Amino acid sequence: MTSNQPLLTPYRMGDLDLPNRIVMAPLTRMRAQSHDHVPTTLQAEYYAQRASAGLIIAEATAISPEGFGWADTPGLWTEEQVYGWRRVTDAVHAAGGRIIAQLWHTGAISHPELLDGAEPVSASDVDPGQISVTRTGRKPTVTPRALTKQEIQGTVADFARAARNAMGAGFDGVQILANYLYLISQFLNATTNLRKDEYGGSLENRSRFLFQVVESVLAEVDAQQVGVKISPMHEGSAFQANEETLPVTEYAIRKLSTYNLSHLLLMGNTTDFSGTPLEKLADDGMFQHFRPLYKGTLIANVKMDRDRGNRLVAEGLADLVAFGRPYIANPDLVQRFAENAPLAEVDWETVYASGPHGYSDYPAYQSSENNHRS
């Protein structure tokens, strides 16, 4: 199928040849087994349906029991979980796709109910003022316990083990989740990191945990198979943007640029940046600002549609474009973009649910040409 759409042109990302520049963004869907966090055959079917994407970034996956913090999401710390993920990666590869794992520690966003009664951990004992998704519903976060320096090193090792497990499970690479509300962000954020040791205070100190994680993962996985998801956020409460939010992200991204990584995934604004220190980063401003700071492959994400994605690639503001919500109801998103076909609507009642309904039962698009074939 020939096309003049930049999104439909091939691209070399790290050591992967991608047939197009359309990325399936990581989407938490709560379909893993709740008792052992093992991915299911249903998840293998769901991801295989979406294998025409240039790249699939699998849903956020906890690196350890302590890092687990969202009901019915998968893990990467047991043999059973690795075996479950192997079913997924085998199914995606059999369908011609490429898939990488996203490594996740929720930190203070977890809840005692998800941790057998234990306190969540974070950089400091600051309640982030967010919502935890527990097995019995959504609940306010609690005040976490600050990690000791020894525990920080143990957590760094947990990231490395999860990366090793991901490659053993057949993933084509890994992505370190370093943004949004989770543990690495809790270290980067001056509001949630009040530490007085070498992990707190300056930009360099607040970034130290991130780079120890990156280097521990790079000791297990080739740099051309490792990416990072990071961006400045304005999410309210403890994650409301402050004067340190942009400088620490700039520092981190400049330094990440020196590691010859597979990619950097940069989220656009998910909330209104008006009147905040991030105001100039609204809409395309995020990609205009950070594109010069990062020398490798840049993946743009948030509020993307076909036209915007094509334009960002054409303008050189992104190399690849990640689509989240469109991939929920459109397993054949690449074909729909190629044919400029209408997109199916998401059934929001089934996004965070169980079973195949609203998950693996969205039909592929049938063009009139297909309908008339005998």
Side-chain angles (χ1 to χ4, degrees):
M1 188 180 300
T2 58
S3 172
N4 58 2
Q5 295 187 52
L7 283 174
L8 299 179
T9 59
Y11 184 78
R12 174 97 175 165
M13 185 193 88
D15 67 353
L16 291 175
D17 286 313
L18 313 183
N20 59 66
R21 298 171 187 245
I22 296 168
V23 176
M24 179 180 169
L27 295 162
T28 293
R29 302 296 308 278
M30 298 177 67
R31 259 62 173 199
Q33 294 180 170
S34 59
H35 64 290
D36 57 8
H37 321 303
V38 171
T40 62
T41 53
L42 179 65
Q43 285 168 282
E45 178 187 2
Y46 163 83
Y47 281 112
Q49 289 171 344
R50 289 153 178 79
S52 61
L55 177 70
I56 294 171
I57 306 172
E59 63 208 87
T61 300
I63 61 164
S64 64
E66 186 182 73
F68 178 75
W70 188 305
D72 301 333
T73 57
L76 259 174
W77 70 85
T78 71
E79 286 184 26
E80 293 78 16
Q81 291 160 2
V82 171
Y83 179 77
W85 275 121
R86 170 61 79 170
R87 281 190 302 230
V88 174
T89 62
D90 282 351
V92 170
H93 292 149
R98 295 136 301 276
I99 183 168
I100 64 174
Q102 190 184 70
L103 308 181
W104 191 28
H105 191 305
T106 57
I109 302 300
S110 192
H111 191 277
E113 189 179 315
L114 297 165
L115 301 169
D116 295 326
E119 294 171 288
V121 298
S122 187
S124 300
D125 56 352
V126 177
D127 184 342
Q130 305 293 327
I131 295 295
S132 297
V133 181
T134 77
R135 295 185 186 94
T136 58
R138 293 173 176 255
K139 299 181 178 176
T141 51
V142 301
T143 301
R145 177 177 67 77
L147 287 162
T148 66
K149 285 200 273 189
Q150 186 173 1
E151 288 172 327
I152 289 172
Q153 292 313 304
T155 304
V156 168
D158 288 341
F159 271 98
R161 178 188 60 186
R164 186 167 64 246
N165 285 345
M167 302 311 285
F171 281 102
D172 297 301
V174 299
Q175 182 187 86
I176 298 164
L177 178 48
N179 83 325
Y180 208 54
L181 307 169
Y182 306 116
L183 183 64
I184 294 175
S185 284
Q186 292 158 27
F187 272 83
L188 293 170
N189 178 11
T191 306
T192 50
N193 183 346
L194 307 178
R195 300 179 73 96
K196 305 298 185 192
D197 60 13
E198 64 266 37
Y199 291 97
S202 67
L203 303 182
E204 294 81 0
N205 282 359
R206 282 184 283 126
S207 303
R208 189 179 305 277
F209 176 59
L210 164 62
F211 287 102
Q212 288 183 343
V213 168
V214 168
E215 289 172 11
S216 76
V217 169
L218 291 177
E220 300 289 342
V221 183
D222 186 87
Q224 290 291 284
Q225 297 173 310
V226 177
V228 174
K229 178 180 179 181
I230 188 170
S231 46
M233 309 295 289
H234 174 66
E235 290 294 325
S237 197
F239 282 91
Q240 188 167 327
N242 56 58
E243 296 300 329
E244 295 284 319
T245 303
L246 182 55
V248 75
T249 313
E250 290 172 335
Y251 171 81
I253 288 178
R254 280 195 179 97
K255 188 167 177 180
L256 286 168
S257 189
T258 68
Y259 283 84
N260 194 31
L261 299 174
S262 153
H263 68 277
L264 183 91
L265 192 152
L266 192 63
M267 290 178 71
N269 60 300
T270 54
T271 56
D272 185 0
F273 281 179
S274 303
T276 77
L278 307 180
E279 192 160 19
K280 66 182 178 181
L281 303 184
D283 303 318
D284 289 354
M286 185 74 73
F287 313 112
Q288 291 162 348
H289 184 79
F290 284 105
R291 170 91 263 193
L293 303 190
Y294 187 76
K295 302 309 177 199
T297 295
L298 186 70
I299 306 177
N301 181 213
V302 177
K303 297 177 188 164
M304 296 297 166
D305 58 26
R306 175 179 177 266
D307 292 344
R308 188 183 183 199
N310 279 313
R311 180 176 55 76
L312 287 174
V313 174
E315 292 177 359
L317 292 177
D319 300 298
L320 305 167
V321 179
F323 298 86
R325 292 179 180 185
Y327 256 117
I328 295 175
N330 299 276
D332 55 342
L333 189 66
V334 173
Q335 180 195 347
R336 291 183 191 239
F337 279 2
E339 299 182 14
N340 200 17
L343 298 189
E345 293 295 320
V346 174
D347 175 4
W348 290 105
E349 294 296 313
T350 61
V351 169
Y352 301 120
S354 60
H357 180 51
Y359 185 65
S360 60
D361 62 353
Y362 284 106
Y365 175 66
Q366 296 296 321
S367 66
S368 57
E369 181 186 343
N370 290 341
N371 290 338
H372 290 128
R373 284 180 186 154
S374 56

